[in-house]
Amino acid sequence: MIAVKDNPPNFTPEEYFAWESQQLEKHELINGQVYAMTGGSINHGRIAIKLTALFDAHLDGSGCITGNSDIKVKIVESEDYTYPDASVTCDERDKTTTQYITYPCLIVEVLSKSTEAYDRGGKFRMYQNNPVLKDYLLVSSTSIEIDLYHKNDAGQWMIINYGAGDTIELKSINLSFPIEQVYRGLTLTPET
């Protein structure tokens, strides 16, 4: 995410929703400040599409909601809102809101050079406040690498690193799939 050039005054959530509805770009709201969401690479977009399609097909008829990068996630016990690349909520409370979800069990961020440190650090710390979140998936857009932060039954976050030949296991939605399914048809090149 990139800070808006002319920092406006702090927004309340109501002001943020009204203001953002008139903007051409999406913006996250963190501590009252808005941050413009930058566009990603072609691989970034294709990976996000593949994952949301995979989740949606798997969850068809389950009552769960699969979200793409247009669905905001409200950070629990805050007035902050983010736009992950993909999310899944199976929580009934999220069926009563129209502008965001609050209780995803799965969040996905496709990594880029400019956002990786934030996605692994500050953003993950915000997401950890969610008592329902079980899986936080960080997906490389330049190599066959996926890191899964999984909250075990004791409430501890464990990291599982996946590479070529591995099968990803998302306990939050009871789904396993080969890592190559995410990268099929992509030309992977390191970012410069």
Side-chain angles (χ1 to χ4, degrees):
M1 75 179 170
I2 305 286
V4 171
K5 287 183 182 178
D6 297 322
N7 263 348
N10 281 359
F11 281 110
T12 66
E14 295 77 20
E15 292 166 337
Y16 161 66
F17 286 123
W19 176 84
E20 191 188 37
S21 70
Q22 299 177 8
Q23 304 305 307
L24 296 177
E25 304 90 19
K26 296 182 292 190
H27 296 78
E28 293 188 339
L29 179 68
I30 308 296
N31 295 322
Q33 293 292 304
V34 293
Y35 297 89
M37 301 302 299
T38 59
S41 67
I42 291 172
N43 279 354
H44 185 284
R46 290 183 67 200
I47 289 167
I49 288 169
K50 287 174 183 250
L51 288 169
T52 54
L54 176 67
F55 301 158
D56 200 50
H58 172 69
L59 295 166
D60 189 33
S62 69
C64 295
I65 299 168
T66 301
N68 66 8
S69 61
D70 287 333
I71 295 184
K72 290 182 200 62
V73 171
K74 182 183 185 306
I75 305 302
V76 173
E77 297 180 9
S78 79
E79 294 186 341
D80 297 339
Y81 296 84
T82 64
Y83 281 103
D85 291 305
S87 58
V88 173
T89 181
C90 301
D91 196 293
E92 290 297 318
R93 293 171 286 186
D94 284 330
K95 294 179 182 175
T96 64
T97 58
T98 59
Q99 293 184 300
Y100 58 87
I101 62 173
T102 305
Y103 302 101
C105 57
L106 168 63
I107 292 177
V108 177
E109 294 289 357
V110 180
L111 301 174
S112 64
K113 189 175 182 179
S114 63
T115 64
E116 183 170 0
Y118 174 60
D119 290 339
R120 290 185 184 281
K123 202 169 202 181
F124 180 49
R125 282 190 292 280
M126 286 190 297
Y127 289 148
Q128 284 178 314
N129 293 325
N130 185 334
V132 178
L133 184 65
K134 294 288 184 197
D135 290 325
Y136 182 54
L137 201 65
L138 298 176
V139 184
S140 173
S141 60
T142 59
S143 59
I144 300 176
E145 296 176 9
I146 294 179
D147 293 333
L148 172 63
Y149 292 79
H150 173 75
K151 185 165 53 174
N152 64 21
D153 293 337
Q156 300 167 321
W157 287 96
M158 307 175 339
I159 184 170
I160 304 164
N161 307 109
Y162 294 104
D166 290 338
T167 298
I168 310 297
E169 183 180 1
L170 299 176
K171 293 181 181 178
S172 59
I173 59 171
N174 194 28
L175 174 65
S176 297
F177 58 93
I179 194 171
E180 282 79 11
Q181 189 170 349
V182 175
Y183 294 99
R184 194 172 297 130
L186 301 181
T187 301
L188 299 175
T189 54
E191 289 182 348
T192 55

